[in-house]
């Protein structure tokens, strides 16, 4: 059952086994798995119930529909745009469906620093379950936009030229079925091909008896004898500034799970007076900076999937003998943007902006994401009205990582044949007469950037770690089973639970944490998550069809390039 | 020390008040705090709409003539592209806190060029050029000069208010944000796309003028996804 705010006329009072606040990468899989296992589950989502019919493929409209604070959330100094979804299905409605398993060295770090005790062999069945249920597979080249192919070509050229094997990347594993490569997945898949929670776990949860409420703003935890036993909130339509409607109260026999974003989860915990000093602290956002390139020929980078290939060879930090930072600690992705998002992000104004946008068919974008420090004092706190506010500064090594990422992505794009690049803030880099001269131009331009967020025009879309799991209340908010150290019955899932950045797109990691939690919550019922049968649904009967077989590399690409069909 | 949004509002207004007091002129910015604090309506005021359109003209490279032409070199003027209307609609849909922030930002942008020492003036020449005019009264090149100076060169301007530690970054962020807002609602309009060679969303294309890997027609099929017949 799913109900939207408009369908709720009277106050709602329910009792269930598990109530889940949030329905995205954290709440969706948890709801689906628990409901399939026979538990009585209620899901409360602040955002609206938007579906494929609502996805218009333009950013201007979709920001208001699916993004938190309608796409205008920023840090307190306005220096960083913070992007997170606020809709049924959460971030999986606007993500690229990239589904990377958590790197082994990151799991090892969590075990070492936070005592999670994750056994990679024990996590593997959970990842496999997610991959099967969400149809995760390596993206085919023919679905990628031109930027993906050019960046890969540039990375190959740089690897040859520099001898540095880290100039490499991988085709992204993505959760799609029958993708047609329209390139608008980021603002909600209008064709129901991306396997967002909206069309995967949530329908399964609904069919299995879960009650799902959209437009429901949870404001209060119900606590009895020190134990979390439920939540209270109200219906609000629209979610930003709309009038408050009927009250919603849900009591849970087993668990209250807060699975909002890394901003709204600590907001709820702090608003309810939880005292763990780590709530809201250590926010990581994987700060993102953009590079724009002008190619000699028309690219039409709006066509085809962005982020189908990831430039991830520099994800590990390299240090010198003294332990000083040398390079790495970031990853980069191709992107695609329409004019309404290209114009603000490219960082120019007036004639400079007009002239650059006149190159739109030849213009393309890539962005870098820094694996930021999980121990920095970047925090989520409450403002006077009890709403989240963020203080985030690019600190120490993170600034160096951002600059290093810009340098290397610029090199890759020039090696791919781009004639001119634009980097923050209003800096243009021209191709030089030689490779050495070009690289000198890159170094000179990047050296002119400071690491102040506003100079880098940063944004953050991978928000994590503000109520993280760990074995000690001195360094974490919840235990390795997801239960809050200070309050039995209260669990945290979603981005807030992940102890640090994931060193890759974290969506799949967040889902895996939810399955770890589901496994824990099913233990008292004598059920083993990985042995539970997945309920087939009638949804998404489409499948990958056609496309070239065998090697999908440069040969086919060159043929299509020559035929003028792909780009 | 980090700033809260409320601190930001208060201190920005204090900055304006201090600057106005220094100049000895009736302070339009000094009136700001009460105005924004009481901003309860959902309608963007005509004054702020004018400021927004002036901002949009500058950022998107139009000359600000009155009345505005509908098209310039094939490009629709921001008024013809309904940039102001789109911003006003977004303003109305936002939370009261965000509307308050918009009000403050637009008022600061409008009044700062005529409030010495001016925010966004990197030289005496800038100050003379602004000539005591508000933002929307400036010629477009001066509006741009103001925004760029504000965005890039704020470090050189004297501030000196205790507790306002990161004012440079804060104001650069504001200017960058205003530039972004100035172009977002213009380039959101489909009428602004054809001159750029952008064909718009696939959903809106009747015929496939370009090749996708697979046809997108017939893919937006409604399916029953939820147990109670809800269609996604």
């Amino acid at each position: 059952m799913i109900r939207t705010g408009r369908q709720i006329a009277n106050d709602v009072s329910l009792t269930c086994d598990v109530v889940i606040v949030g329905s995205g990468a954290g709440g969706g899989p948890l709801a689906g798995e628990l409901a399939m296992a026979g538990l009585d589950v209620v899901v409360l989502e602040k955002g609206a119930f938007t579906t494929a019919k609502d996805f218009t493929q333009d950013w201007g409209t979709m920001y208001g529909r699916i993004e938190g604070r309608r796409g205008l959330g920023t840090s307190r100094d306005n220096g960083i745009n913070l992007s997170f979804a606020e809709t049924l299905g959460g971030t999986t409605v606007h993500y690229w469906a990239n589904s990377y398993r958590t790197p082994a060295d990151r799991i090892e770090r969590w075990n070492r620093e936070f005592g999670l005790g994750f056994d990679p062999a024990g996590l593997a069945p959970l990842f496999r379950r997610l991959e099967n249920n969400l149809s995760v597979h390596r993206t085919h080249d023919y679905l990628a936009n031109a930027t993906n192919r050019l960046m890969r070509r540039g990375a190959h050229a740089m690897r040859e030229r520099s001898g540095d094997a880290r100039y490499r990347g991988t085709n992204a594993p993505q959760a799609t079925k029958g993708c047609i490569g329209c390139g608008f997945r980021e603002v909600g898949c209008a064709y129901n091909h991306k396997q967002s929670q909206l069309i995967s776990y949530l329908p399964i949860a609904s069919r299995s008896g879960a009650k799902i409420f959209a437009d429901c703003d949870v404001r209060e935890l119900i606590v009895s004898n020190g134990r979390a036993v439920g939540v209270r909130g109200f219906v609000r339509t629209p979610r930003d500034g709309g009038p408050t409607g009927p009250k919603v109260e849900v009591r849970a026999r087993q668990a209250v799970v807060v699975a909002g974003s890394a901003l709204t989860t600590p907001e709820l915990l702090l608003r309810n007076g939880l005292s763990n000093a780590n709530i809201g602290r250590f926010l990581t956002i994987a700060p993102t900076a953009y590079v724009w390139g002008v190619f000699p020929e028309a690219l039409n980078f709006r066509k085809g999937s962005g982020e189908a290939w990831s430039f991830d060879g520099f994800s590990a930090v390299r240090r010198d003998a003294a332990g000083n930072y040398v390079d790495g600690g970031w990853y980069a992705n191709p992107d695609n943007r329409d004019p309404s998002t290209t114009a603000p992000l490219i960082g120019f104004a007036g004639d400079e902006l007009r002239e650059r946008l006149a190159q739109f068919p030849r213009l393309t974008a890539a962005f870098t994401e820094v694996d930021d420090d999980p121990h920095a004092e970047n925090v989520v706190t409450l403002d006077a009205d009890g709403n989240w506010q963020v203080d985030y500064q690019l600190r120490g090594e993170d600034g160096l990582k951002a600059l290093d990422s810009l340098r290397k992505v610029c090199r890759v794009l020039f090696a791919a044949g781009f004639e001119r690049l634009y980097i923050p803030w209003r800096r243009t880099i021209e191709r030089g007469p030689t490779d050495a001269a070009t690289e000198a131009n890159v170094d000179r331009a990047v050296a002119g950037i400071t690491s102040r967020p506003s100079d880098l025009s940063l944004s953050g879309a991978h928000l994590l770690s503000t109520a993280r799991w760990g074995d000690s209340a001195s360094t974490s908010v919840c235990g390795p089973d997801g239960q809050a150290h200070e309050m039995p019955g209260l669990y945290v899932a979603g981005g807030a639970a992940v102890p640090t950045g994931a060193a890759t797109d974290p969506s799949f990691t967040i889902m895996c944490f939810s399955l770890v939690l589901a496994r824990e919550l099913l233990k008292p019922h004598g059920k083993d998550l990985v042995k539970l049968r997945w309920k087939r649904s009638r949804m998404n009967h489409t499948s990958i069809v056609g496309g070239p077989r065998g090697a999908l590399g440069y040969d086919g690409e060159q043929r299509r390039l020559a035929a003028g069909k792909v780009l | 020390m980090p700033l809260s949004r409320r601190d930001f509002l208060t201190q920005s207004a204090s900055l304006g008040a201090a600057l106005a007091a220094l100049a000895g002129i009736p302070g339009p910015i000094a009136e700001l705090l009460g105005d924004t604090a009481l901003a309860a309506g959902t309608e963007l005021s005509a004054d702020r709409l004018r400021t927004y359109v002036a901002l949009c003209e500058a950022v998107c490279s139009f000359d600000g003539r009155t009345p505005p032409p509908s098209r310039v070199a094939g490009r629709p003027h921001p008024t013809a592209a309904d940039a102001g209307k789109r911003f006003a609609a977004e303003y109305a849909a936002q939370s009261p806190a965000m509307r308050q922030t918009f009000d403050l930002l637009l008022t600061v942008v409008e009044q700062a060029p005529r409030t010495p020492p001016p925010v966004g003036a990197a030289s005496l020449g800038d100050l003379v050029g602004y000539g005591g005019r508000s933002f929307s009264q400036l010629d477009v090149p001066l509006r741009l000069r103001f925004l760029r100076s504000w965005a890039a060169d704020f470090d050189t301007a004297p501030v000196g208010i205790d507790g306002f530690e990161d004012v440079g970054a804060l104001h650069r962020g504001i200017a960058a944000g205003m530039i972004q807002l100035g172009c977002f609602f213009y380039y959101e309009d489909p009428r602004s796309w054809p001159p750029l060679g952008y064909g718009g969303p696939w959903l809106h294309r009747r015929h496939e003028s370009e090749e996708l890997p697979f046809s997108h027609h017939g893919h937006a099929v409604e399916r029953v996804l939820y147990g109670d017949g809800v269609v996604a």
Side-chain angles (χ1 to χ4, degrees):
Chain A
M1 182 205 84
I2 179 165
R3 290 287 176 269
T4 66
R6 294 184 201 287
Q7 297 171 314
I8 304 171
N10 302 308
D11 291 353
V12 174
S13 180
L14 295 169
T15 301
C16 60
D17 292 325
V18 178
V19 59
I20 302 169
V21 181
S23 62
L30 184 63
E33 295 289 1
L34 295 181
M36 275 193 288
L39 271 64
D40 186 2
V41 175
V42 173
V43 179
L44 303 173
E45 166 60 49
K46 182 180 179 183
F49 180 36
T50 53
T51 71
K53 296 192 298 297
D54 303 306
F55 301 151
T56 57
Q57 296 188 334
D58 75 276
W59 269 258
T61 304
M62 294 313 302
Y63 272 152
R65 287 188 181 164
I66 66 173
E67 292 286 304
R69 294 197 179 171
R70 299 179 59 84
L72 296 177
T74 66
S75 57
R76 281 204 289 188
D77 65 0
N78 296 307
I80 295 181
N81 176 260
L82 300 166
S83 173
F84 67 101
E86 214 165 65
T87 185
L88 195 72
T91 190
T92 65
V93 173
H94 84 166
Y95 80 152
W96 271 105
N98 285 359
S99 305
Y100 296 94
R101 290 190 181 197
T102 315
D105 60 348
R106 191 52 50 122
I107 293 173
E108 192 276 327
R109 177 179 181 178
W110 293 340
N111 289 341
R112 188 179 65 245
E113 291 186 24
F114 299 98
L116 284 190
F118 279 178
D119 172 16
L123 294 182
L126 302 184
F127 279 122
R128 269 199 303 276
R129 186 171 178 87
L130 287 167
E131 286 161 352
N132 289 337
N133 294 347
L134 300 177
S135 184
V136 174
H137 56 275
R138 291 278 171 190
T139 305
H140 296 277
D141 285 0
Y142 55 87
L143 293 174
N145 75 355
T147 320
N148 286 270
R149 289 185 284 271
L150 289 169
M151 277 191 76
R152 186 173 61 183
R153 187 192 297 173
H156 179 78
M158 280 304 300
R159 188 165 65 242
E160 295 288 306
R161 184 191 306 166
S162 67
D164 189 339
R166 294 176 299 167
Y167 280 100
R168 66 168 193 271
T170 50
N171 275 19
Q174 295 188 325
T176 64
K177 280 185 184 177
C179 176
I180 59 172
C182 73
F184 287 95
R185 194 185 297 165
E186 192 182 2
V187 285
C189 177
Y191 309 109
N192 273 343
H193 291 176
K194 179 173 75 171
Q195 299 301 290
S196 72
Q197 295 303 305
L198 199 57
I199 64 163
S200 55
Y201 269 111
L202 290 175
I204 291 293
S206 172
R207 288 174 189 280
S208 302
K211 300 174 185 68
I212 303 170
F213 294 86
D215 305 307
C216 185
D217 190 1
V218 172
R219 310 291 288 185
E220 188 182 342
L221 298 172
I222 303 173
V223 180
S224 175
N225 296 324
R227 179 181 178 84
V229 295
V231 294
R232 287 195 191 94
F234 48 76
V235 173
R236 194 206 298 264
T237 311
R239 67 187 191 282
D240 292 295
T244 57
K247 294 174 185 168
V248 176
E249 178 176 310
V250 181
R251 290 183 178 263
R253 289 180 286 268
Q254 184 179 359
V256 174
V257 182
V258 182
S261 71
L263 306 182
T264 51
T265 290
E267 176 189 83
L268 181 60
L269 302 184
L270 290 169
R271 195 190 291 138
N272 282 275
L274 269 74
S275 59
N276 183 303
N278 297 305
I279 297 173
R281 291 177 69 196
F282 311 121
L283 171 70
T284 63
I285 65 168
T288 295
Y290 269 85
V291 179
W292 301 83
V294 181
F295 200 66
E297 304 158 15
L299 294 172
N300 194 0
F301 76 112
R302 279 296 316 130
K303 189 172 74 174
S305 175
E307 291 196 48
W309 179 84
S310 181
F311 179 27
D312 57 7
F314 288 90
S315 56
V317 171
R318 192 174 64 168
R319 300 182 185 280
D320 63 17
N324 300 313
Y325 175 84
V326 176
D327 63 2
W330 52 269
Y331 51 99
N333 288 296
D335 201 8
N336 56 355
R337 291 277 161 188
D338 72 351
S340 72
T341 47
T342 297
L345 287 168
I346 202 168
F348 290 88
D351 289 348
E352 291 178 330
L353 175 62
R354 179 171 51 78
E355 289 161 6
R356 280 154 183 80
L357 287 181
Q359 303 163 330
F360 192 79
R362 297 193 291 132
L363 193 63
T364 193
F367 64 90
T368 71
E369 292 187 85
V370 167
D371 183 21
D372 47 346
D373 181 3
H375 302 294
E377 278 299 329
N378 293 314
V379 296
V380 179
T381 53
L382 298 181
D383 68 10
D385 300 322
N387 299 315
W388 64 261
Q389 56 186 6
V390 166
D391 288 291
Y392 187 95
Q393 292 292 320
L394 208 59
R395 298 166 199 270
E397 255 181 34
D398 292 344
L400 300 177
K401 292 175 188 172
L403 299 181
D404 181 56
S405 68
L406 287 176
R407 271 187 221 100
K408 293 196 165 67
V409 169
C410 287
R411 281 169 163 74
V412 163
L413 292 176
F414 274 127
F418 283 81
E419 60 188 25
R420 186 180 305 116
L421 303 180
Y422 307 123
I423 62 171
W425 163 254
R426 294 179 59 225
R427 290 173 174 84
T428 300
I429 312 175
E430 299 285 352
R431 171 182 286 283
T434 63
D435 290 340
T438 301
E439 294 192 4
N441 289 348
V442 169
D443 290 341
R444 194 163 41 247
V446 174
I449 301 176
T450 73
S451 59
R452 290 175 299 208
S454 51
D455 280 0
L456 278 165
S457 302
L458 292 176
S459 57
H462 294 157
L463 316 177
L464 303 170
S465 311
T466 50
R468 57 196 186 189
W469 292 9
D471 63 349
S472 166
S474 64
T475 58
S476 61
V477 175
C478 302
D481 60 352
Q483 187 166 211
H485 293 298
E486 69 175 292
M487 185 176 288
L490 176 66
Y491 294 79
V492 170
V498 181
T500 72
T504 185
D505 185 306
S507 311
F508 220 46
T509 295
I510 295 169
M511 293 182 198
C512 183
F513 270 63
S514 286
L515 261 55
V516 170
L517 178 52
R519 193 167 56 183
E520 292 297 322
L521 293 176
L522 288 174
K523 279 180 182 172
H525 301 270
K527 295 184 176 178
D528 183 350
L529 177 69
V530 298
K531 292 180 181 170
L532 288 177
R533 186 167 169 272
W534 169 256
K535 288 187 181 177
R536 288 283 165 199
S537 75
R538 284 175 285 157
M539 67 180 179
N540 269 331
H541 41 272
T542 53
S543 61
I544 289 288
V545 292
R549 292 176 181 276
L552 298 170
Y554 297 111
D555 294 342
E557 175 181 322
Q558 291 302 334
R559 278 201 302 277
R560 288 192 290 278
L561 276 171
K565 290 182 178 177
V566 174
L567 302 183
Chain B
M1 185 182 74
L3 283 173
S4 69
R5 189 182 63 78
R6 194 170 290 259
D7 289 341
F8 162 69
L9 293 172
T10 305
Q11 294 189 19
S12 293
S14 301
L15 172 65
L19 299 178
L22 278 174
I25 60 173
I29 295 182
E31 299 164 8
L32 187 61
L33 183 59
D35 193 3
T36 55
L38 294 174
T42 59
E43 298 295 319
L44 184 68
S45 73
D47 286 350
R48 292 185 179 118
L49 178 60
R50 188 177 64 241
T51 302
Y52 178 77
V53 173
L55 176 75
C56 194
E57 285 176 336
V59 172
C60 298
S61 186
F62 289 89
D63 65 5
R65 276 182 288 169
T66 304
S70 60
R71 283 187 172 271
V72 178
R75 303 166 64 228
H77 185 273
T79 306
D82 290 336
K85 286 183 183 173
R86 286 168 181 273
F87 176 65
E90 179 60 36
Y91 178 94
Q94 278 287 354
S95 64
M98 190 60 85
R99 285 199 296 271
Q100 194 180 36
T101 302
F102 279 143
D103 285 346
L104 176 73
L105 294 181
L106 288 170
T107 306
V108 169
V109 167
E110 179 69 12
Q111 301 299 341
R114 65 178 183 144
T115 308
V119 175
S123 68
L124 186 61
D126 288 344
L127 183 56
V128 172
Y130 297 155
R133 291 176 289 174
S134 64
F135 179 79
S136 58
Q137 293 171 328
L138 297 177
D139 298 334
V140 165
L142 278 172
R143 290 182 215 164
L144 265 178
R145 172 77 183 160
F146 165 78
L147 286 171
R148 287 174 178 161
S149 298
W150 192 1
D153 303 329
F154 195 83
D155 280 349
T156 61
V159 181
I161 293 178
D162 289 340
F164 212 2
E165 295 178 357
D166 200 16
V167 71
L170 173 67
H171 280 261
R172 274 193 304 277
I174 293 171
M178 294 312 295
I179 289 172
Q180 290 173 339
L181 278 180
C183 52
F184 179 78
F185 291 100
Y186 175 75
Y187 285 107
E188 190 190 313
D189 191 285
R191 286 165 288 195
S192 70
W193 297 340
L196 307 181
Y198 174 58
W202 295 106
L203 284 173
H204 301 167
R205 300 187 193 185
R206 281 181 175 275
H207 305 289
E208 291 187 61
S209 55
E210 298 167 86
E211 181 193 347
L212 275 175
F214 299 108
S215 168
H216 64 99
H217 293 303
H219 279 263
V221 179
E222 291 185 357
R223 304 185 185 98
V224 176
L225 295 178
Y226 293 83
D228 52 357
V230 175
V231 172

